[in-house]
Structures are given as structure tokens and as C-alpha cells.
Amino acid sequence: MLTRLRALLLGQSKQGIIKQQLHRTMSATTESSAESLVVDYDYETGSVKEHKTRMSARDFMLSSETGIYTAMRTVCGGERVFLLDDHLQRLGNSHRMVLPKDMARRDDPEYWRQVLCPLLRRGIDGFRADCPGEAKITVLAGAREARLHFTCLNTHEGACWVRFVTGVKRNTPEAKDIQWVHARESLEQLLVPPVNEVVLTEGEQRFYEGISSNFFAVRRIQNSDVRPEYLNYQLVSAPRDCVLLGTVMKLVLRICDRDGIQVVYDQTVDWPRWTGAFVSSTSRWVLPIESIVTGHGDSLQNHRLDASDPLVVHLRESVRNMAAESSTKV
């Protein structure tokens, strides 16, 4: 399957996809080869240790067998953390669903605020010499300690490709359980550039979410001709109760409510009506999709979408413009 997929992406398929697309549409988020920083915090003693590593954020998460996690990013040159309150709430909720109950109230977001804010500041300051731009921060929380991984975050301005597959869905999509990181490991083999994300589907007829993102489609409202242009389109999402409600997804839905954009919860894959699509996550923000690969074996197909769809562009710009005001100084 991987050989066939690479052939499709390199322009050697029956559909005639050209090789230049590989160079024009690269992965949206990459980690640099520079050293990363790990900060460890012991709940019981309060001791803090740190060390440099060349371990990627992915390998850092895979190094833990149990626990919960969340992935943050900085904005404003490392001075602020994007949507920090949402991440703290996520840790509290995930702790309550995944880890044993304890007397420290680690299911309380305020507990995580007191613990993590000093660690975030320490890690950002300690890593700034190696990463003068923005940082990607992965937080692992286990039964006895919290571990933070800091690495450089590099983003790409273009669009991406995604791969639709029928795969294992999250048992508890509302929880960030480290077991999901292990379960999705085999699907990550399909992340062959320019494919940036794998989206889980049910027989490729109903979509859910990406293995590390939320997926949205866009369709035009029939017989609508209003201004601004993006109001002629609807945002299409999987129902909120069957996917992880990501931090950026929450912000996207708030923007839709603010701007009067229709949101339709319809999982049906509808190629004739879809005009655009995007994936969203803390590291990607809103990343337009220009191609979706479906099928398997000799039946791979490529579905082209408009990466400059008016609603996709509006939501991408709105999330970026709200980055500073949606962040917290640590």
C-alpha cells in the first residue's frame, strides 16, 4: 500500500498527478533537528529536573505506556501559550477519565495551572537559545510525575494533502489518553509527504477526525448569494460527541458563532458538494486541504479541493488574528 501511495503522490498514477505538487505542498508542521528540552516534575516531592535530548515529540509520547497528554504551542515569540486554559481543562478532564483518583485533585484545571505555569516558563526560557521562534510543547502526565517536552515549531504557509482510511476510532474521544498515541502508530506510516494527516472514516463513507487533528469540510449553500462571500458556505463537521473537541476546533466554532457561519454536523462524505476542507490542531491552526487520497491497493483515488475556498481562508485568517488574544502569558 505504501509503495502505491508514494507512486500516487509522485505523479506516477493513472490520474496523472504531477511530481511538482510534491515540492509545492510540503508538510505543514515539522520539528527541527535541533536539540529539544525535557522538564520533569515529581508530584510528591515537587522536585524539577531538566535535560537536553534529540528525541522528537512523537518519540517522547511513545516512551510512555500510560498517562494523558496534550500538545501546546507558544505565540508572540514564546511569551504566551496559545489557548492555555483549554489545555488545562483538557488535562483535568482526561485525568478524571483515564488515571486513578487521588487526593491531589489533579482533575481540577487550577491544579494544573499552579503546576504547569512555572514549568512552562522555565522550559521556554531554558530552550530559547536553541529555539528563537515559537516552541511546540508536549505535556505528559502520569500517576507520579508530569513531563514536558519543548522543541522548535516550524510551520508552512501552503496547503496539504490528507489520507482517508478506515481505522480504529478512539474509545473515549473526549480524553487524551497516551494509549491512543500507541494505537495510531501504524497509521502514521501513511504520512508520506505531502500527506500531512490521516483522517479516520467508516468505509470512507462517513468521516470522524484526524489522528492528531479535527477534520472539517465546506460546502456551498444552494441559491445563496450574499456578502461577505464566506457566508455563502457551510462548515461541515462530525458530531461533537464522537470526536475529540480540539482546542482549535473550539475556537473555530466560536468564530462561526460570532460571524453567523452555519455549522452542519453531517459525517457523510459528499464529494460533489464539498468545495473545500481543512484540518485543525494546536500546531497546524487551520490548514487548508488541496487533495484527499482515498481507496487502497490499485484503487487509490485523488480528490481535489480548493485550498483558497472563501470560508477556509476566512477561518484560517480569523484563528491567526485571534492568536494573541486567545493566549496566556506564562
Side-chain angles (χ1 to χ4, degrees):
M1 181 185 295
L2 290 177
T3 301
R4 173 66 176 165
L5 180 58
R6 287 189 174 92
L8 178 66
L9 299 180
L10 289 171
Q12 299 168 356
S13 68
K14 292 182 293 185
Q15 288 81 3
I17 302 171
I18 59 175
K19 184 181 292 185
Q20 284 80 358
Q21 290 172 325
L22 178 64
H23 302 287
R24 182 165 59 85
T25 315
M26 295 304 292
S27 174
T29 304
T30 58
E31 295 175 24
S32 76
S33 59
E35 285 189 333
S36 300
L37 177 68
V38 173
V39 177
D40 296 329
Y41 173 79
D42 185 286
Y43 300 137
E44 184 175 350
T45 65
S47 64
V48 180
K49 299 178 181 179
E50 63 179 66
H51 66 274
K52 295 290 183 70
T53 180
R54 290 193 177 276
M55 183 182 293
S56 68
R58 173 181 176 274
D59 290 339
F60 175 71
M61 288 191 289
L62 288 171
S63 69
S64 178
E65 293 296 329
T66 60
I68 58 176
Y69 71 98
T70 192
M72 308 179 183
R73 66 170 291 163
T74 63
V75 294
C76 303
E79 290 299 319
R80 306 176 71 88
V81 174
F82 184 58
L83 295 174
L84 177 62
D85 289 347
D86 290 299
H87 287 289
L88 300 177
Q89 184 68 55
R90 170 183 286 173
L91 286 170
N93 292 342
S94 296
H95 192 284
R96 183 174 60 255
M97 289 182 282
V98 175
L99 293 173
K101 298 184 182 300
D102 58 35
M103 301 300 293
R105 296 308 307 271
R106 287 196 280 265
D107 58 351
D108 185 348
E110 287 307 309
Y111 170 87
W112 292 107
R113 186 185 307 278
Q114 295 174 20
V115 168
L116 290 182
C117 283
L119 301 177
L120 290 168
R121 187 71 267 160
R122 174 171 175 161
I124 292 169
D125 289 343
F127 190 57
R128 184 164 292 177
D130 297 312
C131 183
E134 303 300 351
K136 176 180 179 179
I137 307 165
T138 304
V139 178
L140 293 181
R144 298 179 179 177
E145 66 176 355
R147 309 187 70 211
L148 286 71
H149 179 277
F150 298 80
T151 193
C152 292
L153 176 68
N154 299 319
T155 57
H156 183 69
E157 297 300 318
C160 74
W161 294 24
V162 302
R163 177 82 159 86
F164 271 18
V165 299
T166 296
V168 178
K169 301 188 294 293
R170 299 176 192 258
N171 292 326
T172 52
E174 66 275 19
K176 296 280 276 189
D177 189 338
I178 202 66
Q179 291 300 313
W180 169 243
V181 178
H182 291 274
R184 74 189 189 194
E185 188 175 4
S186 61
L187 295 174
E188 291 177 335
Q189 298 179 46
L190 296 174
L191 297 177
V192 181
V195 171
N196 178 267
E197 178 63 307
V198 173
V199 175
L200 302 176
T201 69
E202 186 177 307
E204 296 187 347
Q205 302 300 313
R206 293 165 57 83
F207 69 88
Y208 289 93
E209 59 189 335
I211 59 174
S212 64
S213 71
N214 290 111
F215 172 84
F216 297 89
V218 172
R219 64 191 187 196
R220 188 172 180 89
I221 303 171
Q222 296 181 0
N223 303 318
S224 177
D225 185 17
V226 298
R227 293 292 181 271
E229 177 63 18
Y230 63 79
L231 290 178
N232 294 304
Y233 297 82
Q234 297 172 326
L235 185 66
V236 183
S237 168
R240 294 157 59 123
D241 61 356
C242 64
V243 298
L244 174 72
L245 188 60
T247 53
V248 178
M249 179 179 181
K250 292 179 183 178
L251 183 56
V252 165
L253 295 177
R254 288 200 291 265
I255 292 169
C256 289
D257 183 63
R258 180 197 70 185
D259 295 346
I261 297 166
Q262 294 183 25
V263 179
V264 179
Y265 295 99
D266 181 2
Q267 291 175 270
T268 306
V269 175
D270 192 352
W271 301 120
R273 292 193 64 188
W274 285 2
T275 58
F278 63 88
V279 286
S280 69
S281 67
T282 299
S283 57
R284 297 176 181 90
W285 284 345
V286 168
L287 180 62
I289 297 170
E290 66 176 8
S291 292
I292 298 177
V293 179
T294 62
H296 49 83
D298 292 329
S299 63
L300 285 175
Q301 296 183 36
N302 184 268
H303 304 267
R304 305 288 294 174
L305 294 168
D306 182 8
S308 59
D309 180 276
L311 182 53
V312 175
V313 170
H314 173 71
L315 292 173
R316 186 181 198 187
E317 293 177 349
S318 296
V319 168
R320 290 185 172 189
N321 291 339
M322 295 177 67
E325 65 183 81
S326 302
S327 62
T328 302
K329 186 175 178 62
V330 295

